[in-house]
Structure formats: structure tokens, C-alpha cells
Amino acid sequence: MEYVSRVPRSPLDGLIDDLYYLEGVPPYARLTLRPMPAALLIVNLGAPFRIRAGTDIETAEYADGCVITMPTRAFEFGYPLQTRSVGAHFKP
């Protein structure tokens, strides 16, 4: 899997930690992400991915992408067999 990350120039560097591009076959089917103090934007360019925020909540499928705003608990991110997306990690 290819992951490319870039820090944006001013004035976006005051709001965004990094912009990223992700493509390829993930080394794992699922990834658990811990709570974080900032938002995450994912623009999906490939097959739908799945997110589940806790064991008591159903998994949701996202075809176009999503914004995750300051999650207060861990969530599980399920990759498709081939993934391709761009996104931004925002600063707190």
C-alpha cells in the first residue's frame, strides 16, 4: 500500500496537519483508531469502506467519503480489498 503525506503551505498549515493519498492493497482488513482531538476528512476514490464506532453500533458503509469530527471513543475502520482515497488530518 502506498501512503503519501504532505504538510500544506500557508495559510492552510494553520488549520491542517497534513494532506494524504492512500492507494493499494491494505496489509490488514481492519484498523482500530483511537479517539483523537481533531477532525479527519476522507474522500473515497475506490470501493466503499466501513466504519464501526463501538461494539454496540452497526457498521456503516461509505462510498463517497466522510468527515469524522473529534471521535470520543475508538472506532474500527474496515478497508476494501483495494483502497484509494485522499484526505486531511485537521489540527485541534
Side-chain angles (χ1 to χ4, degrees), residues 12-87:
L12 290 179
D13 65 341
L15 301 171
I16 296 174
D17 269 332
D18 75 309
L19 302 169
Y20 73 87
Y21 173 75
L22 178 68
E23 180 177 26
V25 178
Y28 32 76
R30 289 183 297 274
L31 174 66
T32 300
L33 297 171
R34 296 179 180 210
M36 57 185 108
L40 165 66
L41 167 69
I42 303 170
V43 178
N44 190 29
L45 304 172
F49 59 86
R50 297 174 179 263
I51 294 178
R52 184 173 72 172
T55 56
D56 57 332
I57 297 176
E58 287 189 38
T59 301
E61 186 171 270
Y62 297 88
D64 298 330
C66 65
V67 174
I68 301 170
T69 57
M70 296 176 43
T72 57
R73 61 180 163 179
F75 61 96
E76 183 181 273
F77 187 90
Y79 288 105
L81 295 177
Q82 281 279 340
T83 190
R84 189 168 159 223
S85 63
V86 294

